[in-house]
Amino acid sequence: MIKRSTNPLFIGKNFRLASVLMMGAIVPSGSVFATSMVASSHAVYQQAVTGRVTAAIGPVSGVTVSVQGKSSLVTSTDGQGNFSLQASKGDVLVFTAIGFEAHTQIVDGNVMEVVLQESDQTLEEIVVVGYGAQKKESLTGALQVVDGNELRDITTPSVENMLNGKVSGAFVAPGSGRPGSGGAVVIRGQATLNGTTSPLWVIDGVIVGSGAGDLNPDDIETMTVLKDAASTAIYGSQGANGVVLVTTKRAKAGSTTINLSTRMGFNQLTNGNLQVMNGAELYDYYASFANANEISFPRWNPDLRNSNFDWWDVATKNGFTQNHNLSISSGTEKLRSFLSVGLYDEKGAVRGYDYRRYNVRLNQEYKPTDWLTIKPSVVGSRRGVENREYSVTSMYSNLPWDNPFDENGNPVPHRSSSWVNSASTNYLYDLQWNHSANVNYELMGNLDFDVKLTDWLTFTSVNNYRYINYAGSGYEDPRSNGGLSVNGRITDYRSEVARRYTNQMLTVNKSWGKHSLFAVGGYEFNDYWSKTLDVYGTGLMSGFEVLDVVSKPERTRGNINEWAVQSILSKANYTFDNRYLVEASLRRDGASNFGDNAKYGNFFSVSGGWNINNESWFQAAWVNTLKLRASYGSSGNRPSALYPQYNLYSVSSTTSYNGDPGILINQIGNKNLTWEKTKTTGIGFDATFLNNRIRTTLDLYNKNTGNVLYNVPISGLTGVTRIWQNIGEMNNKGIELSIGGDIVRSENWLWSLDLNIGHNVNKLTNLYPTRNSDGTYSVKPVFIGDGSNIAGSAQYVLEPGRPVDTYYLKEWAGVNPEDGKPMWYKVIRDADGNEVSRETTSKYSDATFEKLGKASPKLFGGFSTALRYQQFDLGATFGYSIGGKLYNYSRQEYDSDGTYTDRNQMKLMPGWSRWQRPGDNATHPVAKYNNKDQGNLVSSRYVESNDFLRLRSLTLGYSLKLNQYGVKNVRLYFSGENLFVITNYSGVDPEIPANDGSVLSSVGPGVYPATRKYMFGLNVSF
């Protein structure tokens, strides 16, 4: 028997990180104030010098301003290029900034005007990469850096949503309009079948998993998206889906800076093209039925045209959103501290759903000696939801003829005799009492340190502990529909998650002559522990909401899960004369969810680059930078199951007999299950032209994934219906293009335009043969659901030569013009699967299943434009997608030709028509009461193009000059988000909301619409 740890703090004699939680005590806060007092004593002999730093493009923010020879006197410019620091007349001020030549200027008064010249070597920018930072000029991989300020053009607590349209090759399915809803990110296509398609998220050097968690977007300094093998192979088994590196804000040496940002506004639901009928429209629709004489509603009469309750209006309102953040940054060369607190609060546009999140972050750097830097940090968050949400499905489905309130304004009970649909429930009746809530606490602490062994060799230690505590509860009143049969129900769910991470690295960063070497090597360990408790109790008196009051325990469930990964890793980047670049990496991972036959996997990459513009023979003055890149390497993936290598048995209430516990086999293990590996070849180039006014990046890639992991369906004779296997191979090929330019660039004007395009083609290249009943082996297609978990929705086929999201459906053939019946195709094929003939049929069971195109788009991306004139700024960001297909399940419900008579129906889109008489060439079959023609069953009739162009954000701002009052920067702005979308998709939104981090291509009848937001904001820096 293996004894497993159940201690959520993971603290034992072999691995102790408790000191992480005490890092705030490392440096007394008093030392900060002591430093401030010293600085004040200097001010007696100095004067306050203020000024503004500009360049050809206008004001320059983030410029480091220091007094030559006085390292403690340093500051930086604000968003408008303004600065202030203490200096004496005759002192020399030094101005440095990435992308500009260093500048010095003598203090000869209290006010200074400084003009910087752009550097020809803009690639000197330092970029965060896997396990370190390098000069952009020396990079050989495909990656894209997004500045934190570029992310905050939309108001959301989800960092994933903010990447939408910002990075070429990164497809983002946004969250829905429900407050707190998170998005899903797919980089360079789907590289796996059964595991997550989300990239790996790394925050300040710590691997946190397939999501950013409750990270406060306002704390982000930069995000670097790693896309090719040269960039991701160093992350080995976790890098196949790409990697997102997040760097949070830290203090800089200089004067104390206080930043306040606040935005408030309201949000409205956007219903897209789905419009359901009002009372008159629905009556006329029913009256037009070919068998209208069979309508059997008790209240069926023309007066129904005047019964028009608006279920949408009663369930929705103008929601309210507010987001406030305060940060304090202060420090010297010895001690730097960054403290931020944030509040995000949103009231849903669907009534009854309130979301609130608090964030706090403390990042510190303490340098007691020249060779030691200690970097403790503590991050905490609290997220809470109060849920009495009105029914989203009922907003569309409930009949406008039925009023949920009586003449006194009280909710009518379920199955009310006053309703036309008297078999339905009134959710508002239950909502008088029923509700749920959840709260999530997250704490993450780091105790990191750097030891500078020599001027070129550094030892770095990153040590992180993360703890998450989630609690959810629900109450169903005994009088409610759900609680009536059990006399009320109380639910309580608790979970704890603990995760430890450590890496110990040696870093070489050395230059000599024309040579430069950057290399890292070290050890990494990452493990996970979780425990859940899920309890139901029934039988209670109304108004009591604790489990103590229940008379019967309905269910008790709980589990513990654990996994661990350890790695040895190394990489090296060599540069000769800033012209020729070579990089290689090697990583070996060991994971707990593989058997002894495949416990460890090896991953590698090799890449090279050529800075052509640095060649002596290159004389094109109009070309500022020109780099060619090429890479090849591997990354991997593990199964989503924790223990697929073991035979597992189930011990639960369902396996008990006569009150005694029992055991049933639950899983057949696969000891030979091995790593899914993705090998990627990529080439690309980066270039800037015309004094860096035009910038472009182009990448081409070819990704081959082998040993694809999948939980394969098998015969259920043993009681097990699936087994984990490596089943095949797939390929993703694509092109990514980013291009931008400053169309107008002068002291007072700046107009820029940026565009990114992503194109990816996915194909399953091989399926491993399976055994037939006669003992032979052959390759057979595998049919899988579309991930929506909706009964009667679309399915995909896995077959070599086709994309993994290929629809497998009965093919819609339109409407028979003679009798108005629906038609599908019946296709005859030979033994090799080639089509011999096809004919139409109005009998659904005779129609054949066909392979009908793919869900993913052909082109996707975004473009943005920014205009600035003196203190005014205007920015707009757009997103688009072309060539994708969605299965619109909601039309099966609301465009059912009379099949469903207990729910409302949608209005026909422009260009659609209903068959009325022989000879009509219509898009929709004849409508009948209780229609039995099966025209609304699953078929390609409901597969639609989801091409769209969306204005994601539009912002107008104005910056005030208040330096004379000690205010560095004040900016007022107004923004509109999701202002319009152009699409022919007939549903609520062509961008299907993500589902728990997964991208979907099918949507149910109750999709929560996106919201349109109007926000007012204020940013102030002191």
Side-chain angles (χ1 to χ4, degrees), residues 698-990:
L698 175 67
D699 279 284
L700 292 84
Y701 61 88
N702 186 2
K703 296 170 58 175
N704 289 295
T705 303
N707 291 323
V708 172
L709 291 162
Y710 193 70
N711 202 9
V712 179
I714 60 174
S715 169
L717 292 176
T718 62
V720 178
T721 58
R722 289 180 175 271
I723 183 172
W724 278 95
Q725 294 180 348
N726 300 103
I727 69 166
E729 301 168 358
M730 75 167 72
N731 174 266
N732 283 276
K733 295 179 180 177
I735 302 174
E736 299 164 355
L737 173 65
S738 297
I739 186 169
D742 298 335
I743 302 171
V744 177
R745 189 169 71 181
S746 65
E747 183 176 354
N748 292 323
W749 284 93
L750 175 64
W751 178 26
S752 64
L753 180 65
D754 290 273
L755 166 70
N756 70 75
I757 301 172
H759 168 67
N760 183 81
V761 177
N762 172 279
K763 183 170 65 175
L764 188 69
T765 55
N766 189 21
L767 274 178
Y768 298 159
T770 56
R771 183 183 176 92
N772 300 316
S773 57
D774 60 1
T776 62
Y777 286 82
S778 62
V779 174
K780 304 182 187 68
V782 178
F783 305 103
I784 61 175
D786 63 356
S788 61
N789 296 319
I790 300 172
S793 64
Q795 62 179 343
Y796 297 144
V797 58
L798 301 179
E799 184 178 57
R802 299 183 184 277
V804 296
D805 57 353
T806 299
Y807 285 110
Y808 188 66
L809 303 166
K810 296 193 175 187
E811 186 175 1
W812 178 250
V815 178
N816 189 326
E818 300 304 318
D819 57 14
K821 288 187 176 182
M823 296 190 302
W824 303 269
Y825 285 110
K826 180 181 180 181
V827 180
I828 308 299
R829 300 182 182 276
D830 60 23
D832 296 324
N834 300 312
E835 182 175 328
V836 175
S837 65
R838 66 170 50 208
E839 61 185 31
T840 60
T841 177
S842 290
K843 190 174 180 180
Y844 183 80
S845 59
D846 289 344
T848 53
F849 282 90
E850 302 297 322
K851 297 142 189 174
L852 303 169
K854 64 186 183 70
S856 54
K858 295 179 180 178
L859 294 174
F860 59 90
F863 58 93
S864 62
T865 185
L867 178 66
R868 187 176 70 231
Y869 173 69
Q870 293 185 351
Q871 280 76 49
F872 288 95
D873 62 85
L874 178 67
T877 301
F878 296 82
Y880 66 89
S881 177
I882 301 171
K885 301 288 185 181
L886 293 182
Y887 187 84
N888 189 354
Y889 177 81
S890 63
R891 281 186 55 202
Q892 287 187 249
E893 301 273 332
Y894 309 135
D895 188 17
S896 66
D897 312 321
T899 301
Y900 298 120
T901 59
D902 60 346
R903 64 206 72 176
N904 204 349
Q905 296 293 290
M906 63 183 289
K907 302 176 185 178
L908 297 187
M909 290 274 291
W912 292 0
S913 59
R914 175 78 61 187
W915 188 92
Q916 298 289 335
R917 58 188 62 84
D920 285 352
N921 290 312
T923 59
H924 283 53
V926 60
K928 302 175 184 177
Y929 184 72
N930 287 328
N931 199 330
K932 305 299 183 183
D933 291 341
Q934 299 183 310
N936 76 317
L937 295 186
V938 181
S939 77
S940 63
R941 174 185 180 182
Y942 298 122
V943 175
E944 299 186 40
S945 167
N946 70 327
D947 295 354
F948 69 87
L949 171 65
R950 183 189 299 276
L951 176 57
R952 298 201 185 280
S953 66
L954 179 66
T955 304
L956 175 63
Y958 180 78
S959 298
L960 287 74
K961 294 183 178 180
L962 299 174
N963 304 77
Q964 64 271 31
Y965 301 107
V967 180
K968 297 179 181 178
N969 179 52
V970 177
R971 179 173 179 264
L972 297 165
Y973 63 92
F974 169 77
S975 67
E977 303 171 18
N978 189 28
L979 294 181
F980 69 79
V981 58
I982 300 173
T983 183
N984 290 323
Y985 175 65
S986 68
V988 171
D989 198 312

Side-chain angles (χ1 to χ4, degrees), residues 393-528:
T393 302
S394 296
M395 288 162 37
Y396 304 106
S397 63
N398 281 14
L399 299 179
W401 301 327
D402 297 331
N403 193 320
F405 303 108
D406 60 23
E407 60 276 6
N408 297 319
N410 299 314
V412 299
H414 302 302
R415 291 163 284 278
S416 171
S417 60
S418 66
W419 280 19
V420 173
N421 182 18
S422 57
S424 182
T425 60
N426 177 14
Y427 78 88
L428 290 172
Y429 186 77
D430 287 354
L431 209 57
Q432 299 176 94
W433 313 290
N434 294 356
H435 62 91
S436 65
N438 64 73
V439 62
N440 186 84
Y441 292 93
E442 182 171 336
L443 176 67
M444 189 163 72
N446 270 55
L447 183 57
D448 307 340
F449 58 89
D450 299 335
V451 179
K452 191 172 183 180
L453 302 175
T454 70
D455 60 352
W456 54 268
L457 180 63
T458 303
F459 172 74
T460 299
S461 178
V462 176
N463 307 286
N464 173 268
Y465 181 82
R466 187 182 184 196
Y467 178 74
I468 302 171
N469 187 292
Y470 174 90
S473 61
Y475 171 77
E476 292 181 63
D477 194 88
R479 295 163 289 183
S480 68
N481 188 60
L484 189 62
S485 61
V486 293
N487 197 25
R489 175 182 286 113
I490 291 175
T491 64
D492 198 351
Y493 180 87
R494 306 293 174 95
S495 75
E496 293 179 275
V497 172
R499 189 163 179 167
R500 296 181 302 185
Y501 174 85
T502 182
N503 74 52
Q504 314 300 318
M505 308 287 296
L506 281 173
T507 301
V508 174
N509 195 348
K510 185 174 180 59
S511 298
W512 66 100
K514 295 182 178 182
H515 309 277
S516 180
L517 176 67
F518 175 84
V520 298
Y523 171 80
E524 180 177 273
F525 177 81
N526 192 5
D527 68 356
Y528 170 97

Side-chain angles (χ1 to χ4, degrees), residues 7 9 737 755 1018:
N7 178 7
L9 297 180
L737 173 65
L755 166 70
L1018 169 68

